């Protein structure tokens, strides 16, 4: 009986420790400045949090600790010594000292991103890959060309999605200003989510809870296991800004009428079709179109209102189209 009570008491302590953890830090030769606090993120389960790092790391060792003191009492150490910080769900254990507690960082880069899941005791890390587009899609998004109920036809259509503008100074930032409205003829008429391509997969951004207010939103849930959406309360014009690297979002309600001096985000101004290695681009106005392989080794250009380019090989390409006033960049997969 004593053993059962002791086990139960220790389990309660363990659960309490998981719930009570509010700060985590990284330190070591791999961390610029020697020590940094991780950013606390919510999850889709109430009462749980994760901790995230976004930024630069140097070659060396990295330690995860529960305090910023010179001699921390708890380290989150990889089960396998010297596990690379770029890893897919590596388990960790808690240790009282730094011996064998280091995570390996093999080279310098500005795009390290990792998540510490204190509930499942796992770390997931990556080198973030740049996004080239982001699209707002949903029932509250204006139908095709604003022509009425024939646009989305009740169901969400990717063709009615609104492309966000990529920031010139920070390519991880995308912004959009436009109309969101309760289109009652659509499914989920007050909801939307954000896709990382002109399609429903593979990259999708969600809130952590269903019907989260976009005006109160702060964090993004990348490829969440639940298809949650943000919800609008009022019809009108919104400004939405996301940082796909830092996984953040912010939004403002601008009013039922567009304020003076505020510019709406331009609509995508061309149609694109990919069939095999043939890429067709059509627009009402003449375009300059450039196709570049992701490693930059191959490049083709053409101009006109109806442009066809033949990719020399299968693979990933970056398509850039401009009419002299507006430019759009899109990532293209050629089979």
């Amino acid at each position: 009986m004593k053993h059962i009570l002791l086990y139960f008491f220790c389990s309660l302590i363990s659960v309490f420790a998981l719930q009570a953890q509010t700060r985590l830090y990284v330190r070591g030769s791999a961390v610029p400045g020697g020590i940094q606090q991780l950013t606390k993120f919510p999850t889709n389960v109430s009462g749980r949090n994760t901790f995230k790092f976004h930024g630069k790391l140097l070659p060396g060792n990295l330690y995860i600790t529960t305090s910023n003191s010179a001699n921390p009492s708890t380290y989150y150490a990889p089960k396998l010594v010297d596990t690379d910080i770029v890893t897919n769900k590596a388990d960790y254990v808690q240790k009282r000292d730094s011996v064998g507690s280091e995570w390996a960082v093999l080279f310098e880069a500005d795009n390290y991103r990792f998540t510490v899941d204190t509930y499942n005791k796992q770390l997931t890390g990556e080198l973030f890959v740049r996004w080239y587009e982001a699209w707002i899609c949903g029932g509250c998004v204006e139908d095709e060309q604003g022509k009425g109920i024939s646009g989305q036809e009740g169901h969400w259509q990717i063709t009615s999605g609104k492309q966000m503008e990529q920031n010139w100074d920070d390519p991880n930032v995308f912004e959009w200003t436009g109309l969101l409205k309760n289109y009652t003829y659509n499914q989920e008429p007050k909801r939307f989510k954000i896709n990382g391509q002109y399609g429903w997969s593979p990259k999708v951004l969600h809130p952590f809870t269903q019907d989260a207010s976009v005006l109160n939103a702060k964090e993004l849930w990348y490829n969440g296991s639940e298809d949650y959406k943000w919800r609008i309360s009022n019809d009108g014009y919104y400004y939405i800004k996301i940082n796909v690297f830092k996984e953040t979002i912010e939004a403002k309600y601008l009013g039922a009428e567009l304020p003076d001096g505020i510019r709406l985000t331009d609509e995508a101004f061309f149609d694109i079709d990919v069939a095999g290695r043939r890429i067709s681009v059509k627009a009402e106005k003449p375009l300059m179109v450039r196709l570049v392989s992701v490693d930059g080794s191959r490049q083709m250009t053409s101009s006109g209102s109806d442009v066809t380019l033949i990719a020399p090989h299968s693979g990933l390409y970056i398509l850039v189209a401009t009419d002299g006033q507006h430019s759009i960049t899109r990532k293209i997969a050629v089979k």
Side-chain angles (χ1 to χ4, degrees), residues 248-286:
T248 59
I249 180 172
E250 60 181 270
K252 297 177 182 177
Y253 179 65
L254 303 177
E257 302 293 333
L258 187 68
D260 292 340
I262 300 296
R263 181 182 67 87
L264 293 176
T265 301
D266 295 319
E267 295 282 338
F269 56 92
F270 66 80
D271 293 322
I272 180 170
D273 180 69
V274 180
R277 292 191 290 114
R278 180 177 176 275
I279 302 167
S280 299
V281 184
K282 297 181 180 180
E284 294 182 357
K285 296 166 46 176

Side-chain angles (χ1 to χ4, degrees), residues 82 150 161 167 200 275 304 319:
D82 279 336
S150 61
N167 187 286
W200 299 112
L319 182 89

Side-chain angles (χ1 to χ4, degrees), residues 104 179 181 206:
L179 178 66
K181 185 177 178 180
H206 305 273

Side-chain angles (χ1 to χ4, degrees), residues 46-206:
S46 179
R48 299 183 189 176
N49 291 297
T50 58
F51 295 84
K52 291 178 176 282
F53 177 89
H54 311 84
K56 182 176 181 177
L57 291 175
L58 307 170
N61 292 328
L62 180 147
Y63 300 89
I64 301 171
T65 63
T66 56
S67 72
N68 61 352
S69 65
N71 297 298
S73 60
T74 305
Y75 291 78
Y76 288 2
K79 275 192 173 182
L80 298 177
V81 176
D82 279 336
T83 295
D84 195 324
I85 200 69
V86 179
T87 183
N88 184 24
K89 290 187 179 179
D91 294 331
Y92 70 80
V93 295
Q94 294 187 19
K95 290 189 174 182
R96 293 296 183 184
D97 57 61
S98 62
V99 178
S101 297
E102 64 272 12
W103 300 80
V105 179
L106 302 182
F107 53 87
E108 179 179 340
D110 294 325
N111 58 330
Y112 280 100
R113 188 165 82 173
F114 63 82
T115 301
V116 180
D117 180 346
T118 58
Y119 185 84
N120 294 303
K121 293 188 175 181
Q122 291 178 327
L123 181 145
T124 303
E126 65 174 333
L127 284 169
F128 177 76
V129 178
R130 176 181 170 178
W131 286 30
Y132 291 91
E133 53 187 328
W135 296 78
I136 296 176
C137 301
C140 62
V141 174
E142 186 180 14
D143 56 23
E144 186 82 8
Q145 304 299 322
K147 293 179 181 178
I149 65 172
S150 61
Q152 295 211 53
E153 299 176 349
H155 300 277
W156 292 15
Q157 303 292 326
I158 194 65
T159 53
S160 294
K162 304 302 179 184
Q163 186 168 19
M164 306 181 77
E165 282 188 328
Q166 193 168 30
N167 187 286
W168 284 101
D169 296 322
D170 185 348
N172 294 318
V173 173
F174 292 83
E175 299 167 283
W176 180 81
T177 300
L179 178 66
L180 296 178
K181 185 177 178 180
N182 176 19
Y183 293 103
T184 55
Y185 44 76
N186 286 334
Q187 288 188 356
E188 303 178 280
K190 292 187 176 183
R191 292 173 173 168
F192 75 92
K193 60 183 178 181
I194 301 174
N195 295 337
Q197 62 289 307
Y198 187 66
W200 299 112
S201 64
K203 298 179 292 188
V204 187
L205 301 175
H206 305 273

Side-chain angles (χ1 to χ4, degrees), residues 290-307:
R290 182 161 52 101
L291 186 69
V292 185
S293 58
V294 290
D295 62 2
S297 62
R298 301 181 185 91
Q299 178 172 314
M300 292 164 287
T301 59
S302 186
S303 60
S305 58
D306 190 349
V307 174

